[in-house]
Amino acid sequence: MFLDNLNARLFGVCFWSDNLTIRPAYSLLPVRASSLALLESPRRHVRAVCKTPYQVLDAPDLADDFYLNLVDWSSTNVLGVGLGSCVYLWTAHNAAISKLCDLGDQHDTISSVSWVQKGTTLAVGTLAGRLHIYDAATLQLQRTYAAAHTRRIGALAWNAHVLSSGSRDRSVHHRDVREAVQRPFRRCIGHRQEVCGLKWSSNGAGGAIGPVVGEAAAHPEGGAPTGGWGVGSGAALASGENNNKVCIWDLRGSRRPSSRPSTATHAAAAGGEEPGDAPLWKFHEHTAVKALGWDPHVSGVLATGGGTQDKHISFWNTGVGSMLSELDTGFQ
């Protein structure tokens, strides 16, 4: 310590500890220590992505409709595809193909498919507004909601045992699939056009239909599940419509901060409405919004992609309702 002080007085140089590294206060290098560490870090290699597919599957009767969601891949490495009135399953590890269902006898057509985050449960929405729940492991129908919506169901999203569905009737419904109750326990109204994209902010601990240990499965018809949303399930849902709107829903009933950013508007729940019936935020900067993705590393950050007239990816802070940045992709 005495020698350090003496050197400082004689030579005008002092030293301090920065992340367990001793470095001088005055350096001949024209860059900061943080920039130097970045320059000295190993160079990242550009990943080469093959431009030719390693597998091509025939998909007759695949609807040419941008607003439908007819393909989804499960956590068990099974691809579900809606083709006309049928849903087919393709198992990746052995290339086996099986038919899950055929709604031809009901004169109905598949409009959306979605796997639960963990498990073999597959939700299927139809043009007639019906919602079916299947166990893909046994190819058995587990649950049917005959009048889930009044018009076609184009978007589905899971959060543990809660299934959310978006429809051309401009509403989003939430159901606990453990229950045979036909009515949803929550309805979200805020869109003026068809809901074509849905995404929950976290990966729930979903699985097969059945009671969850420690939670009461039974609840009154139309009421909220007495067991709540479940451990590890998120409460923020993003929904996009085919016009220009993205809505953020917080079904816990949270309210936005007092600040009023110019990029978003807030719809407060009117008298008599349950918390969550009105969106927490509305973003209007896009055209048609189907692509939605939450940042898995930073809480509350949402990416949204616009349509052919928009060509932008926007990044949002849903905590305060402001746009962080946007990227012009040049394409849809």
Side-chain angles (χ1 to χ4, degrees):
M1 180 63 69
F2 174 76
L3 293 177
D4 290 342
N5 293 334
L6 179 61
N7 290 333
R9 288 195 299 270
L10 293 177
F11 304 105
V13 179
C14 61
F15 298 82
W16 69 87
S17 175
D18 180 13
N19 294 331
L20 301 180
T21 301
I22 305 299
R23 61 186 180 89
Y26 305 102
S27 174
L28 297 178
L29 294 175
V31 295
R32 294 178 297 179
S34 59
S35 299
L36 181 62
L38 180 62
L39 292 172
E40 293 178 344
S41 61
R43 183 178 180 181
R44 294 184 178 180
H45 296 284
V46 178
R47 187 180 63 172
V49 179
C50 183
K51 297 182 179 180
T52 58
Y54 71 90
Q55 181 76 42
V56 178
L57 303 176
D58 292 331
D61 298 326
L62 182 65
D64 184 14
D65 192 326
F66 173 77
Y67 300 111
L68 302 184
N69 293 273
L70 298 171
V71 179
D72 196 26
W73 208 307
S74 76
S75 61
T76 58
N77 208 15
V78 178
L79 184 69
V81 184
L83 301 176
S85 61
C86 304
V87 175
Y88 289 89
L89 306 178
W90 179 75
T91 305
H93 73 272
N94 59 8
I97 299 176
S98 56
K99 181 189 288 187
L100 178 66
C101 65
D102 187 347
L103 306 181
D105 57 343
Q106 303 177 24
H107 305 286
D108 207 350
T109 303
I110 308 300
S111 58
S112 57
V113 295
S114 179
W115 293 95
V116 72
Q117 288 96 332
K118 296 179 181 179
T120 60
T121 302
L122 180 68
V124 177
T126 73
L127 292 183
R130 300 186 182 97
L131 186 58
H132 306 284
I133 311 297
Y134 289 90
D135 183 357
T138 61
L139 305 181
Q140 296 296 316
L141 177 65
Q142 300 291 317
R143 190 90 69 228
T144 293
Y145 302 96
H149 288 271
T150 57
R151 304 187 70 180
R152 76 178 190 183
I153 302 173
L156 297 168
W158 288 89
N159 189 351
H161 52 268
V162 173
L163 175 62
S164 302
S165 55
S167 170
R168 184 174 273 183
D169 64 13
R170 302 174 295 178
S171 65
V172 179
H173 293 179
H174 308 279
R175 289 178 168 84
D176 187 335
V177 297
R178 301 171 300 179
E179 299 301 313
V181 178
Q182 290 292 310
R183 292 180 56 190
F185 67 81
R186 185 66 58 84
R187 294 181 175 91
C188 293
I189 307 297
H191 288 284
R192 296 184 178 180
Q193 296 291 333
E194 178 179 6
V195 179
C196 56
L198 285 176
K199 195 72 173 181
W200 280 97
S201 62
S202 68
N203 293 324
I209 297 174
V212 177
V213 177
E215 294 184 351
H219 60 80
E221 183 172 339
T226 56
W229 288 95
V231 178
S233 59
L237 175 71
S239 60
E241 68 176 43
N242 67 352
N243 189 6
N244 67 342
K245 187 186 300 180
V246 176
C247 291
I248 307 298
W249 312 86
D250 189 341
L251 301 187
R252 295 170 300 185
S254 299
R255 294 291 181 259
R256 69 171 178 86
S258 58
S259 60
R260 295 178 179 272
S262 60
T263 58
T265 58
H266 169 68
E273 287 185 337
E274 297 180 2
D277 288 342
L280 184 66
W281 300 108
K282 294 181 181 179
F283 304 125
H284 300 273
E285 279 70 16
H286 280 299
T287 55
V289 183
K290 180 182 177 182
L292 302 164
W294 292 91
D295 190 329
H297 308 290
V298 181
S299 177
V301 176
L302 174 70
T304 59
T308 54
Q309 302 300 320
D310 186 278
K311 304 177 182 178
H312 281 76
I313 298 176
S314 299
F315 301 90
W316 308 90
N317 182 342
T318 61
V320 297
S322 63
M323 181 187 292
L324 297 174
S325 62
E326 61 179 350
L327 176 65
D328 186 352
T329 64
F331 300 94
Q332 176 176 310

